């Protein structure tokens, strides 16, 4: 892990970001089996401290696939899409468990059930879309397609309304931030548009979940996520998102070639 | 030197060094405007600084980031003035959820106007003159149902319009990220306004939804798509869920055609 922290210092722009990484990375390592390797030292990366030149690689650069015994998401456009596929796997798994929980019909009111069932549908569709698109797009899908990941939700009680909605909020907000941060890593405009078609639906989800939690408020686009000066939503790099996702994903994987 | 080449060169030299903090992105976006002001105007950018919304759109289909952001600013001007007039008019029920929602949305749209004006610098455009009654057809500042309906139309339009401009910003990563971060805010707004109106937060098929004027149908045409990169999104749960799971883009001309309804 020493090496990984050092790497992030290169890419991190602020002391605050650095501290957050250190804090979160400790949590991730203690809490889950995820091998969080962060970004590897790449000579181009090292030169200017920015990943823009290396991450936006189109069909060049690193494809997804097993490296040193662990699946790596890759670093080219397919790597970015595989990263999105991993997140959609997580969201789809979560809502599948939500709607199949024994107390689903009594835990939630009718509006909440409708919203959660829609989200289950949407996220499963997103997951299957990425699986199909990556299988047909990857040169060697047998070795390059991200396998089905496994998930664990700790002490989360799927029959507890507040816990389920709080987790949904975290996942949707993270999804929005992840897609917002990933757009710039894509070089193919068709992939960028597809990501754009999905991220706004994730943002609609996030808004609805926040509104269910606290309807009589501005939380649907709250000051905790929308910058109060610029009016901009959150954007996160894959390395930041991986730390959050690591709370739930138990299958080891790495993201060495994403910022 | 054309503006696109200019921005590309600027991007390569400076933007790649942006470390990604919120402040850095903001200042970098500002720099684009300043540099464009100093260097690009003598090279025939006059057409792009026209106050007419349509001028902004002329080049927005050809990968021109400035035109893309000018279109965005036009839409933000529209939303900003609409919500400000709505709050000033007293049409929004005071003291409850509605007022909190629209004060928050208004604050964001105002921030977006300022952000885009700063980002565009000398390439910024003036605010058009709006008529939200569309020549007397609507009465949104006396009729709350109409105010809500137009708010929904504007937010859903905003989501689709930003999406349609993303590819035009692909060569300017910081501008793209900023636009995406506005795009998702518009989607959060759209979801809440739709839910205030008793609809789902997402768009089913090309349905404009109960109570929406026929005139707003252009906002929803084309949303019914259930094929994404060859994948049949209706396969698992039907066409309604399949279309809801993806928002579709509007082209620059389509977005302008909608906005132009409200521009005098």
């Amino acid at each position: 892990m020493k090496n990984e922290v050092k790497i992030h210092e290169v890419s991190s722009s602020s002391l605050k970001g650095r501290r957050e990484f250190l804090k979160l990375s400790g949590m991730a390592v203690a809490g889950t089996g995820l091998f969080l390797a962060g970004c590897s030292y790449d000579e181009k990366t090292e030169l200017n401290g920015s990943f823009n030149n290396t991450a936006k690689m189109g069909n060049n650069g690193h494809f997804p696939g097993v490296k040193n015994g662990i699946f790596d998401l890759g670093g080219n456009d397919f790597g970015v899409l595989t990263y999105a596929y991993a997140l959609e796997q997580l969201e789809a798994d979560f809502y599948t468990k939500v709607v199949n929980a024994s107390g689903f019909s009594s835990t939630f009111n009718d509006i909440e059930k409708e919203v959660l069932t829609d989200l289950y549908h949407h996220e499963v569709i997103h997951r299957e879309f990425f699986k199909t698109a990556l299988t047909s797009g990857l040169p060697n899908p047998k070795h390059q397609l991200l396998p089905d990941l496994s998930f664990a939700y700790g002490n989360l009680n799927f029959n507890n309304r507040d816990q389920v909605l709080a987790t949904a909020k975290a996942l949707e907000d993270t999804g929005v931030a992840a897609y917002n941060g990933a757009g710039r890593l894509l070089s193919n405009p068709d992939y960028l548009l597809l990501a754009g078609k999905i991220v706004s639906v994730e943002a609609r989800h996030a808004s609805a979940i926040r509104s269910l939690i606290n309807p009589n408020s501005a939380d649907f686009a709250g000051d905790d996520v929308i910058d109060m000066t610029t009016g901009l939503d959150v954007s996160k790099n894959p390395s930041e998102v991986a730390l959050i996702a690591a709370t739930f994903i138990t299958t080891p994987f790495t993201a060495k070639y994403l910022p | 030197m054309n503006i696109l080449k200019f921005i590309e060169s600027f991007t390569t030299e400076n933007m790649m060094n942006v470390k990604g903090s919120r402040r850095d992105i903001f200042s970098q976006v500002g720099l684009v405007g300043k540099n464009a002001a100093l260097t690009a105007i003598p090279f025939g950018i006059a057409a792009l600084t026209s106050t007419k919304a349509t001028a902004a759109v002329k080049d927005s289909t050809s990968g021109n980031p400035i035109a893309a952001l000018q279109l965005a600013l036009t839409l933000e001007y529209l939303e900003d003035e609409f919500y400000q007039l709505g709050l000033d008019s007293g049409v929004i029920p005071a003291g409850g959820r509605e007022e909190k929602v629209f004060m928050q949305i208004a604050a964001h749209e105002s921030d977006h106007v300022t952000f885009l004006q700063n980002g565009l610098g000398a390439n910024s455009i003036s605010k058009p003159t709006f008529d939200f009654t569309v020549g007397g057809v609507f009465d949104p500042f006396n009729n709350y149902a109409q105010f809500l309906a137009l708010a929904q139309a504007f937010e859903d339009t905003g989501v689709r319009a930003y999406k349609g401009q993303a590819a035009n910003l692909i060569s300017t990563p910081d501008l793209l990220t900023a636009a995406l971060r506005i795009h998702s805010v518009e989607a959060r707004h759209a979801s809440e306004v739709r839910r205030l109106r008793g609809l789902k937060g997402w768009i089913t098929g090309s349905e404009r939804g109960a109570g929406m004027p026929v005139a707003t149908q252009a906002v929803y045409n084309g949303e019914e798509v259930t094929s994404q990169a060859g994948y049949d999104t209706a396969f698992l749960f039907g066409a309604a869920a399949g279309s809801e799971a993806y928002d579709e883009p509007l082209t620059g001309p389509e977005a302008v055609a909608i906005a132009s309804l409200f521009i005098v």
Side-chain angles (χ1 to χ4, degrees):
Chain A
M1 287 305 290
K2 216 180 227 172
N3 189 35
E4 295 154 21
V5 171
K6 195 170 150 199
I7 288 154
H8 275 269
E9 285 179 349
V10 171
S11 68
S12 182
S13 62
S14 68
L15 280 170
K16 184 165 173 283
R18 213 170 291 170
R19 273 200 304 275
E20 278 171 6
F21 171 78
L22 291 167
K23 187 179 71 185
L24 285 165
S25 87
M27 275 169 51
V29 170
T32 78
L34 177 76
F35 284 67
L36 188 85
C39 290
S40 73
Y41 255 119
D42 180 304
E43 61 276 17
K44 287 181 215 158
T45 304
E46 202 174 4
L47 278 174
N48 64 5
S50 163
F51 288 93
N52 293 345
N53 296 334
T54 51
K56 196 164 180 164
M57 297 190 81
N59 291 332
N60 300 315
H62 294 277
F63 278 88
V66 174
K67 292 178 177 71
N68 301 322
I70 301 170
F71 195 94
D72 185 89
L73 299 181
N76 58 14
D77 274 9
F78 287 113
V80 179
L81 297 178
T82 297
Y83 161 61
Y85 177 38
L87 293 178
E88 297 294 350
Q89 281 199 32
L90 168 58
E91 289 187 308
D93 181 80
F94 172 73
Y95 290 112
T96 301
K97 288 189 169 74
V98 168
V99 300
N100 286 298
S102 57
F104 179 67
S105 60
S106 57
T107 303
F108 300 98
N109 67 32
D110 287 348
I111 295 282
E112 290 164 350
K113 272 183 276 196
E114 182 185 70
V115 167
L116 290 166
T117 303
D118 280 357
L119 268 50
Y120 156 66
H121 288 156
H122 300 168
E123 304 300 0
V124 168
I125 291 168
H126 291 165
R127 179 188 68 196
E128 295 307 304
F129 159 76
F130 276 113
K131 186 173 191 174
T132 304
L134 283 165
T135 301
S136 68
L138 285 164
N140 187 356
K142 192 181 167 195
H143 295 292
Q144 294 169 332
L145 181 68
L146 180 72
D148 292 349
L149 300 172
S150 298
F151 306 93
Y153 299 91
N155 296 323
L156 176 63
N157 176 0
F158 281 92
N159 291 318
N160 180 305
R161 174 190 179 273
D162 292 350
Q163 287 184 22
V164 166
L165 292 181
T167 305
K169 172 180 153 183
L171 288 177
E172 298 294 346
D173 281 339
T174 300
V176 171
Y179 278 99
N180 282 349
R184 65 188 295 136
L185 306 177
L186 290 165
S187 60
N188 182 323
D190 295 335
Y191 299 157
L192 176 62
L193 178 58
L194 282 165
K197 290 180 179 199
I198 293 174
V199 64
S200 56
V201 174
E202 304 290 348
R204 290 173 187 272
H205 292 172
S207 172
I209 292 289
R210 286 167 157 268
S211 184
L212 290 179
I213 293 171
N214 196 4
N216 188 27
S217 75
D219 282 8
F220 66 97
D223 296 341
D224 58 324
V225 278
I226 314 301
D227 186 285
M228 287 171 70
T229 303
T230 60
L232 302 186
D233 210 329
V234 177
S235 167
K236 283 184 160 62
N237 270 337
S239 58
E240 299 172 277
V241 172
L243 292 167
I244 299 165
T247 319
F248 306 107
I249 301 174
T250 55
T251 307
F253 72 92
T254 57
K256 291 181 181 178
Y257 306 103
L258 291 169
Chain B
M1 179 187 246
N2 70 36
I3 183 69
L4 190 57
K5 276 236 165 72
F6 169 74
I7 285 180
E8 272 172 1
S9 68
F10 181 77
T11 297
T12 316
E13 285 164 20
N14 294 308
M15 281 192 165
M16 292 305 183
N17 293 323
V18 171
K19 305 294 203 297
S21 82
R22 199 167 269 171
R23 181 175 296 172
D24 282 347
I25 286 172
F26 188 67
S27 66
Q28 287 289 329
V29 171
L31 278 172
V32 174
K34 280 181 205 148
N35 281 272
L38 291 171
T39 326
I41 282 181
F43 295 91
I45 194 166
L48 289 171
T49 59
S50 162
T51 56
K52 293 206 171 126
T54 43
V57 168
K58 254 175 202 159
D59 293 321
S60 67
T61 50
S62 58
N64 184 331
I66 296 289
L69 295 185
Q70 287 175 332
L71 170 60
L73 178 56
T74 303
L75 295 171
E76 298 292 350
Y77 274 139
L78 181 146
E79 290 181 314
D80 180 42
E81 182 166 313
F82 178 73
Y83 292 117
Q84 203 50 60
L85 289 173
L87 289 168
D88 292 348
S89 71
V91 73
I92 300 164
R97 176 181 176 185
E98 287 90 347
E99 191 175 52
K100 287 177 187 166
V101 165
F102 285 110
M103 284 180 71
Q104 183 78 345
I105 292 179
H108 292 159
E109 309 301 6
S110 172
D111 290 345
H112 295 163
V113 166
T114 306
F115 182 82
L116 290 168
Q117 281 176 334
N118 289 342
L120 281 161
N123 295 315
S124 187
I125 53 173
S126 315
K127 185 162 82 166
T129 304
F130 296 108
D131 172 19
F132 295 104
T133 74
V134 192
V137 175
F138 299 116
D139 192 16
F141 305 121
N142 291 300
N143 181 323
Y144 184 57
Q146 289 189 8
F147 176 84
L148 277 177
L150 288 184
Q152 178 187 318
F154 292 152
E155 296 297 340
D156 280 333
T157 298
V159 174
R160 297 189 69 182
Y162 271 94
K163 203 185 318 295
Q165 293 308 310
N168 290 330
L169 298 168
I170 201 163
S171 61
T172 50
D174 290 313
L175 299 180
L176 172 64
T177 301
L180 287 172
R181 294 173 64 186
I182 297 177
H183 171 244
S184 61
V185 174
E186 301 294 331
R188 287 179 190 262
H189 293 173
S191 180
E192 179 71 1
V193 173
R194 296 174 62 88
R195 297 185 73 258
L196 275 181
R197 296 190 65 256
L199 300 177
K200 291 181 175 184
W202 24 95
I203 300 165
T204 308
S206 60
E207 295 172 15
R208 61 181 183 274
M212 290 296 285
V214 180
T216 63
Q217 186 55 40
V219 176
Y220 300 96
N221 289 337
E223 275 287 352
E224 67 278 9
V225 176
T226 54
S227 176
Q228 301 293 347
Y231 176 72
D232 176 8
T233 63
F235 177 70
L236 288 172
F237 307 111
S243 68
E244 287 169 358
Y246 296 78
D247 280 333
E248 298 301 318
L250 286 174
T251 65
E254 285 168 342
V256 159
I258 291 167
S260 294
L261 281 176
F262 303 93
I263 296 174
V264 178

